[in-house]
Amino acid sequence: MLTKTKAIVLRNLKLGERKMIVDLLTENHGRLSVVMAIPSTQRGKLKKQYFQPMTVIEVELDMRPNKELHHLRDVRLAAPYVSIPFHAAKLSITLFLAEFLCHATRGEQLNPQLFAYVEASLRWLDGCATSFANFHLVFMMRLTRFIGFFPFLEDYHDEDVFDLRAGTFASNAPMHTDFIPAVDAARIGTLMRMNYESMHLFKMNHDDRNRIVDVLVHYYRLHVPGFPELRSLDVMKELWE
């Protein structure tokens, strides 16, 4: 069955010498993996630059029922980026988030709201000139709304801890070690209300950002089965130093 959809590239992997597997987050079908011949020249219609992580493309697919790999028939850029590929910090952020999304959305079925959120976030980053140091934090926090484990924030009381497994505040520390102590838990509600327009108002240093990203990755690891160590995390942590 031939079908067309908008898609965001998450990663590409060589399959032998002449083929490539591309993992996509698609608007109409959720997560998909496609196989394609590696372009031998720049003249081919399937250009290599279309398959860089977090590129937004429009694809035509030959989808076969009960197949894990689908065939890519055609592709074009949905809208070229104007800054991300040419800005070292933005590129590092998107490479980290591509690896993060590859694991956070594994097995994701049709979810147009999730796709729209990711695409709109990338467009915002591409068009932003300054004050985007907290972008990855906001992106990761707000993504939890779309994949089912946004923390419950309405029952906070002074001196509560935050139970990362349950995603709720608690008056006493749980029996396990996956919780945030009261001194840090008091900031969670404020942090979760950050958005791209307001995030520059939250003053954080390099250590603050790294602490938050570590907690967020741990939170996802608790709620997404098989969520691994992220190879690009160390690169992400070196930004803004």
Side-chain angles (χ1 to χ4, degrees):
M1 178 184 71
L2 293 179
T3 183
K4 294 183 178 180
T5 183
K6 193 180 287 186
I8 296 169
V9 177
L10 299 181
R11 68 177 174 182
N12 60 73
L13 302 167
K14 285 189 70 176
L15 181 65
E17 292 300 317
R18 305 189 63 180
K19 291 185 178 181
M20 180 166 65
I21 296 173
V22 183
D23 289 331
L24 302 172
L25 178 66
T26 72
E27 184 174 31
N28 298 337
H29 305 284
R31 278 291 298 274
L32 290 178
S33 295
V34 301
V35 62
M36 54 169 282
I38 296 175
S40 57
T41 70
Q42 288 298 316
R43 294 184 179 182
K45 62 182 179 181
L46 303 181
K47 300 183 185 299
K48 291 180 182 179
Q49 60 265 36
Y50 292 174
F51 305 103
Q52 297 304 306
M54 298 302 249
T55 303
V56 184
I57 54 180
E58 293 180 355
V59 296
E60 182 179 39
L61 304 172
D62 184 1
M63 296 185 64
R64 305 293 175 89
N66 303 317
K67 295 289 186 180
E68 292 186 5
L69 286 176
H70 306 283
H71 287 273
L72 185 67
R73 295 296 186 186
D74 197 13
V75 61
R76 68 182 184 89
L77 288 178
Y81 291 133
V82 297
S83 69
I84 288 175
F86 316 106
H87 193 294
K90 289 185 180 182
L91 188 58
S92 295
I93 289 171
T94 55
L95 290 176
F96 166 71
L97 291 178
E99 184 187 8
F100 163 76
L101 275 177
C102 199
H103 301 293
T105 63
R106 186 191 298 123
E108 190 72 34
Q109 303 299 310
L110 175 64
N111 191 336
Q113 293 80 18
L114 168 63
F115 183 90
Y117 168 71
V118 177
E119 182 184 20
S121 297
L122 292 169
R123 296 295 176 212
W124 188 93
L125 179 63
D126 191 50
C128 178
T130 60
S131 303
F132 54 85
N134 295 332
F135 177 86
H136 58 299
L137 306 179
V138 175
F139 181 92
M140 295 170 73
M141 287 188 287
R142 297 179 77 83
L143 186 77
T144 58
R145 292 183 180 273
F146 301 94
I147 56 179
F149 47 88
F150 187 77
F152 186 72
L153 305 175
E154 305 306 317
D155 59 350
Y156 172 74
H157 300 92
D158 288 345
E159 303 304 319
D160 277 356
V161 302
F162 185 78
D163 186 330
L164 290 165
R165 295 188 186 181
T168 59
F169 292 104
S171 56
N172 297 305
M175 298 299 291
H176 55 77
T177 59
D178 297 318
F179 70 93
I180 299 174
V183 63
D184 294 323
R187 303 175 59 197
I188 290 176
T190 301
L191 289 172
M192 293 300 293
R193 283 187 280 272
M194 274 199 303
N195 57 42
Y196 298 136
E197 287 70 31
S198 68
M199 64 185 182
H200 68 280
L201 301 174
F202 293 75
K203 302 304 180 184
M204 298 185 203
N205 60 33
H206 180 258
D207 291 337
D208 290 334
R209 291 190 185 94
N210 285 346
R211 165 65 176 154
I212 293 170
V213 78
D214 280 340
V215 171
L216 286 169
V217 169
H218 184 56
Y219 187 62
Y220 274 85
R221 190 168 291 123
L222 289 170
H223 292 271
V224 178
F227 196 97
E229 298 288 338
L230 300 179
R231 293 177 295 175
S232 59
L233 182 57
D234 287 342
V235 176
M236 184 73 252
K237 287 183 175 182
E238 291 176 4
L239 284 179
W240 327 117
E241 192 166 359

